Amino acid sequence: MNLKSKIRVIEGFPKEGISFKDITTLISDGKAFKEAVNIMRKNLEDRNIDYIVGPEARGFVFGSAVAYALNVGFIPVRKPGKLPGETVSYEYALEYGTDVLEICEDVLKPGDRVAIVDDLLATGGTINACAKLIESQGAEVVSMQFLMELTDLKGREKNKEYQIDSVMEYDI
């Protein structure tokens, strides 16, 4: 199946000059969604994964599905104030300012093997922050899986110390 044909491209969203890759059309097609999840599952099945971590919000869609397919737990990474209980935070730089991600403090332990699953690898900043947050808990990031990669934005280079797979690639 040509999964790229299932991605709706919306020019000028959310602002002029952006070519937005909308996953809604892929995830609403049960066969396409299943194929995308199965590709990521296959990439991870021999890596002895303990958990899948997915950043909000679209990382929840693919991450939880891949976790289910692998029969492992899913752990969400969220913006501040969205998770219950005690959390661990990681602040990271953006082009103009900073942002913060959080994870529940008691879900990962040293030695856990984690794969990060998200819909898109662009500049790589958010996913790198997820990796650093996971590693701050003593867990190991053994893989990063993406539905799409915008190769011109060089997110792979920012995360070159990690094993990365993308189901499909786009030039901007």
Side-chain angles (χ1 to χ4, degrees), residues 12 132-133 143 157:
K132 300 308 181 204
L133 185 59
S143 183
E157 289 178 22

Side-chain angles (χ1 to χ4, degrees), residues 43-64:
N43 289 340
L44 295 171
E45 64 187 5
D46 294 328
R47 300 193 61 83
N48 299 315
I49 303 297
D50 297 307
Y51 296 101
I52 300 292
V53 166
E56 71 175 79
R58 293 180 299 258
F60 293 3
V61 174
F62 287 97
S64 60

